Amino acid sequence: DRTRRVRDAFYRSGLLISQQSTPALSRSFDSVCSRLKIPRDHVDAFVHASAEIQAECFVGSSEECSIRFSSALVNLLDEEEFAFVAGHELGHFLLGHGVATSNGEETLEALMQSRAQEISVDRVGLIACGDLAIAIRAMIKTISGLEARHLRYDVGQFISQLSGPSRGAVADEVWSSHPSMLVRSRALLWFSMDSDL
């Protein structure tokens, strides 16, 4: 079946995150699973070689999932920031985003739902890492691709970039499956003001 094929592909094309081969990542990932109350043996996590800064979650069922992180992403983030991204991806599993199958059409409604799901799983990522500053740092690094030595983390300045795009740029975002990191950061900031972490 499809679930087995995807998991087999992840095993063949990546490195399984484990205490033996990636101890620091394994500790961070185990901590996230514990914080989110997900049995660790229900999740396989991998790193694969890629220059793209990305992560993905494949939800096989309501009981198991496989997550894959690109090496560029893992190399960019520290362990705390990695916890935010891991929590974000596990959020897709917890909220059942991949279980319901669609007909593959990218309708405006489907894209709106996808963007809303990204906002929701960012909140799970924040719960997983436990600190807004860590979550925003991960977002800034992800959007810029810059290492910490090049950055000063000014959340207000970062979010103020929202006032910069033209109306056409905002309209283009309607046809995207993900909101911009700026919108996601602002939404996470608002969420953190109204929650106890």
Side-chain angles (χ1 to χ4, degrees), residues 100-166:
T101 57
S102 69
N103 58 10
E105 289 183 35
E106 287 196 348
T107 64
L108 187 56
E109 288 175 345
L111 292 168
M112 288 172 63
Q113 180 179 0
S114 178
R115 289 193 301 274
Q117 289 175 347
E118 291 302 314
I119 296 292
S120 296
V121 296
D122 280 343
R123 294 171 177 180
V124 178
L126 177 58
I127 292 166
C129 74
D131 188 307
L132 178 66
I134 291 168
I136 299 294
R137 277 195 338 242
M139 289 180 156
I140 291 173
K141 284 183 172 181
T142 301
I143 194 174
S144 68
L146 293 175
E147 297 174 8
R149 63 191 171 100
H150 296 295
L151 294 168
R152 184 175 152 269
Y153 302 103
D154 185 330
V155 175
Q157 189 280 327
F158 178 58
I159 293 175
S160 74
Q161 287 181 210
L162 277 170
S163 62
S166 68

Side-chain angles (χ1 to χ4, degrees), residues 29 32 54-56 67 69 73 77 80-91 121 125 128-129 138-139 142:
F29 197 81
V32 167
Q54 62 184 5
E56 62 184 319
I67 296 178
F69 304 93
L73 177 68
L77 303 177
E80 294 174 322
E81 296 156 355
F82 174 77
F84 168 75
V85 176
H88 171 105
E89 294 304 327
L90 285 168
V121 296
C129 74
M139 289 180 156
T142 301

Side-chain angles (χ1 to χ4, degrees), residues 7 11 29-30 33 38-44 63-65:
R7 288 183 72 231
Y11 269 97
F29 197 81
D30 291 352
C33 287
I38 299 172
R40 182 60 180 88
D41 60 349
H42 289 209
V43 182
D44 291 324
E63 297 294 319
E64 63 181 3
C65 73

Side-chain angles (χ1 to χ4, degrees), residues 6-71:
V6 170
R7 288 183 72 231
D8 288 350
F10 283 5
Y11 269 97
R12 285 193 311 272
S13 64
L15 177 66
L16 182 68
I17 292 177
S18 68
Q19 190 60 42
Q20 294 75 24
S21 57
T22 56
L25 287 179
S26 183
R27 279 191 303 276
S28 180
F29 197 81
D30 291 352
S31 173
V32 167
C33 287
S34 175
R35 189 161 192 166
L36 298 178
K37 303 195 181 334
I38 299 172
R40 182 60 180 88
D41 60 349
H42 289 209
V43 182
D44 291 324
F46 303 86
V47 178
H48 71 109
S50 175
E52 297 287 324
I53 298 172
Q54 62 184 5
E56 62 184 319
C57 178
F58 178 78
V59 180
S61 71
S62 61
E63 297 294 319
E64 63 181 3
C65 73
S66 297
I67 296 178
R68 187 166 71 159
F69 304 93
S70 68
S71 55

